[in-house]
Amino acid sequence: MRTTLSEVLPLRTPFSLHVFPSYYCNFKCTYCLHNLSAEALRERRFERQLMDFGMYEKAIDGLKEFPDKLKAIIFAGHGEPLVHPQIREMVKFADGVADRTEIVTNGSLLSMGMSEGLIAAGLGVLRVSIQAVTDEGYERITGRKVRVADLLECLRYFYKTRGNTRVHVKIIDMGLSNDDIERFYDLFGPIADEVSIEYVIPFINEIPLTNDKGKTKHGGPESESKICSMPFYMIALDPNGDLVPCCSSVVPYCYGNVKKESIKQMWDSPERNRFLLLQLVDLSQNRVCGACSVPRYGLQEGDYLDEDRGRLIKVYGEE
């Protein structure tokens, strides 16, 4: 059951740390920033890079300074985590620091050796983002030739040998026909603990997300919030060591860098507190936050802070 966020703020310990080990990806999905031009990526200051393992170790060691364990360390980000040559070692090093470790992956690099390594490292949840249910669909969406039969074989092996790792397979609804939906459940249902269909939200301004009728796709009905709650419970670690408030593809603010400070120091810093206070008072004062679609489409039940806005402004104003 999801915690009602307003009842537990301010947090002594973040719920989750999102680690972005790689800004490289082997796909160029039509809805993703990796499908943007080199010029557009430069304007976003997006640099393809891998996280240094020594720096990563320092960051994870710093999490032990918090009074409580994190709920989750999630390897995800604006790239494919399994591209990192030391991803198995990263998972193993994080084992025990949080209640669970997760990886969000496109699944195409799940060789037998990779699967065995991740399971042995103590991975808690493998979240696989499927892009299509046919070879033709994969090439159309990802720009790469992928045999669905090969992907199924890899996932079947992982599921069979998964031990204590849970497997969640998901697909976005863009371009799915009714036949595709049925095929998705038939193919992946037997080799996963959980399967789901998700909805993309407008996240990359340069890429319009529309269905065949020209209507914008998003995660359900609009539920406008004046406050983005994500920075209040999570943090993200970029490949270069920057600690940032969320998973936005354009960084709204940087709390600092783990090469110079521990994550707890940055979590407790006046800089972070000022950023949170801005979210409560008027997030549109931050150019990136003001243009972000998450408060409109992406918040989950229990995350809305609007009714507690006045009390929280006093709380964070006194920090």
Side-chain angles (χ1 to χ4, degrees), residues 281-292:
V281 174
D282 183 6
L283 61 76
S284 67
Q285 292 182 34
N286 182 291
R287 179 183 60 83
V288 176
C289 295
C292 183

Side-chain angles (χ1 to χ4, degrees), residues 57 63 75 81 103 117 123 133 138 148 150 169 181 203 216 229-230 243 260-261 274 291 308-309:
E57 288 181 309
L63 296 177
F75 298 91
I103 283 181
L123 181 66
V133 295
Y138 255 96
V148 173
D150 293 341
V169 177
I181 293 173
F203 208 57
T216 299
S229 57
M230 294 182 75
L243 194 72
K260 300 178 180 179
E261 302 174 271
R274 282 194 291 270
D308 291 274
R309 181 178 183 178

Side-chain angles (χ1 to χ4, degrees), residues 195-212:
V195 292
S196 63
I197 296 176
E198 297 185 349
Y199 304 86
V200 291
I201 65 174
F203 208 57
I204 310 294
N205 293 334
E206 299 93 328
I207 302 176
L209 301 177
T210 58
N211 61 15
D212 55 3

Side-chain angles (χ1 to χ4, degrees), residues 57-74:
E57 288 181 309
K58 182 177 184 295
I60 297 302
D61 279 337
L63 296 177
K64 299 172 185 176
E65 298 175 6
F66 283 106
D68 308 303
K69 286 177 68 173
L70 278 69
K71 295 180 182 296
I73 294 176
I74 303 168

Side-chain angles (χ1 to χ4, degrees), residues 31 74 89 94 121 124 134 173 177 189 194 203 205 222 224-226 243 276 288 304 315:
Y31 57 85
I74 303 168
E89 291 84 353
T134 64
D173 77 328
S177 67
E194 182 181 2
F203 208 57
N205 293 334
E222 296 182 24
E224 187 76 39
S225 174
K226 301 296 183 184
L243 194 72
L276 297 183
V288 176
Y304 291 90
V315 169

Side-chain angles (χ1 to χ4, degrees), residues 240-253:
N240 66 358
D242 285 346
L243 194 72
V244 298
C246 62
C247 300
S248 172
S249 60
V250 180
V251 175
Y253 192 80

